[in-house]
Amino acid sequence: MSSTTPTLKLFELVDGKTRKISFSPAVWRAKFALNYKKVSYESVPLNFLEIPIAIPAACPNVVSPTVPTLQLENGQGLMDSLAIAEYLEEKYPDRPSLFGKSLSEKNLHMFFQSYVQAKINPSIQRMVYQNMYAMQDPDTAHYFRTSREKSSGRPHHEIGGNLKENMTELRENLGLIHTALRSGEWVSGAHPSWADFVLAATFVWFDSCSPKEFQEGVLDAFDDQVMRNYWLKVQQYIY
């Protein structure tokens, strides 16, 4: 990061016990974008219960807070990782592009984002559920459990589903991505882009919460080094 004093603040989600594990894929999309653009910022770690209190207190324009929220130089809060990426793209046009030079290129990034959200994230979400729950302190664990039971319509012990079935689903849906990465380059070519950071953010989430399953389900999912080599390249933007 830049050595200058950061004027931007990124509100992000951390675990309730150690307050050191940043696991939200939505937050990591924004962090990757900031890191790739080499934009200096200060991280503000919050647990689930602190989000609705701390963000509106810091950013008066935010009524229904979510993470990530980026507090801009004027004190206003900008929510949603895509909105943050678009803001960075407009503000720093001289720095490496996240979306490419044309609308058609950006549309492809949006398609890839939709694919990851619809085909990759669901099986991972089920596999990390119990570990995410275990990472919380009692108050945040209660919130996490009850909110997930309500949103899923399933009891706590059923939300994770069957591990073998989840692994099979993940591997099948990673197949097209694996094929695209066999060139040894990034998703969209010689340089990383928004599509890469969407995928990498999901991998950070998986690895942060369930490292054993991440290794089996992603790094060792195929009989080559493609996914492992890709993950190694991603590390330069994780900080």
Side-chain angles (χ1 to χ4, degrees):
M1 277 190 196
S2 169
S3 61
T4 58
T5 302
T7 56
L8 303 177
K9 291 185 178 180
L10 183 71
F11 294 88
E12 61 177 307
L13 177 64
V14 295
D15 68 294
K17 285 184 177 178
T18 71
R19 300 184 64 87
K20 295 179 180 179
I21 304 173
S22 176
F23 56 85
S24 165
V27 168
W28 269 102
R29 294 179 189 186
K31 292 181 75 168
F32 277 126
L34 286 158
N35 294 347
Y36 183 56
K37 289 278 194 180
K38 298 187 183 302
V39 176
S40 183
Y41 64 96
E42 175 187 347
S43 292
V44 182
L46 303 172
N47 66 31
F48 283 108
L49 298 179
E50 292 167 338
I51 290 171
I53 300 171
I55 295 178
C59 308
N61 68 304
V62 176
V63 178
S64 301
T66 60
V67 290
T69 292
L70 184 68
Q71 186 184 44
L72 306 178
E73 293 92 337
N74 61 6
Q76 298 293 293
L78 179 62
M79 295 190 297
D80 184 74
S81 58
L82 179 58
I84 292 170
E86 291 173 332
Y87 167 81
L88 296 174
E89 195 81 335
E90 180 178 350
K91 187 172 178 62
Y92 302 100
D94 57 323
R95 302 187 187 187
S97 176
L98 294 164
F99 300 109
K101 298 179 180 180
S102 67
L103 179 59
S104 61
E105 287 180 277
K106 185 175 181 180
N107 286 342
L108 287 174
H109 288 289
M110 295 302 97
F111 171 81
F112 189 85
Q113 175 177 304
S114 296
Y115 182 86
V116 170
Q117 291 179 163
K119 295 296 186 179
I120 305 301
N121 288 2
S123 54
I124 292 176
Q125 185 171 32
R126 293 190 293 271
M127 284 190 276
V128 302
Y129 172 76
Q130 290 295 343
N131 286 346
M132 285 179 65
Y133 176 70
M135 290 161 59
Q136 309 309 319
D137 64 90
D139 289 339
T140 53
H142 175 74
Y143 164 81
F144 182 76
R145 174 173 179 164
T146 55
S147 63
R148 270 53 181 181
E149 286 179 329
K150 182 178 180 180
S151 62
S152 69
R154 304 172 70 182
H156 175 71
H157 66 278
E158 292 183 2
I159 293 176
N162 180 277
L163 178 59
K164 184 177 180 180
E165 292 176 358
N166 289 333
M167 282 291 186
T168 298
E169 177 185 315
L170 176 60
R171 188 183 185 283
E172 289 176 351
N173 290 330
L174 273 176
L176 293 174
I177 294 175
H178 170 261
T179 299
L181 294 174
R182 287 172 65 181
S183 66
E185 295 193 333
W186 299 90
V187 171
S188 58
H191 305 285
S193 60
W194 181 246
D196 290 288
F197 299 141
V198 168
L199 180 63
T202 287
F203 287 173
V204 171
W205 172 39
F206 199 5
D207 184 47
S208 297
C209 298
S210 301
K212 180 180 177 182
E213 289 76 13
F214 171 70
Q215 178 166 326
E216 178 183 349
V218 176
L219 300 185
D220 297 335
F222 304 94
D223 294 330
D224 54 35
Q225 296 296 306
V226 170
M227 301 308 294
R228 190 174 294 276
N229 289 340
Y230 181 76
W231 181 236
L232 286 173
K233 288 200 304 181
V234 167
Q235 301 307 303
Q236 64 189 292
Y237 301 109
I238 298 179
Y239 49 85

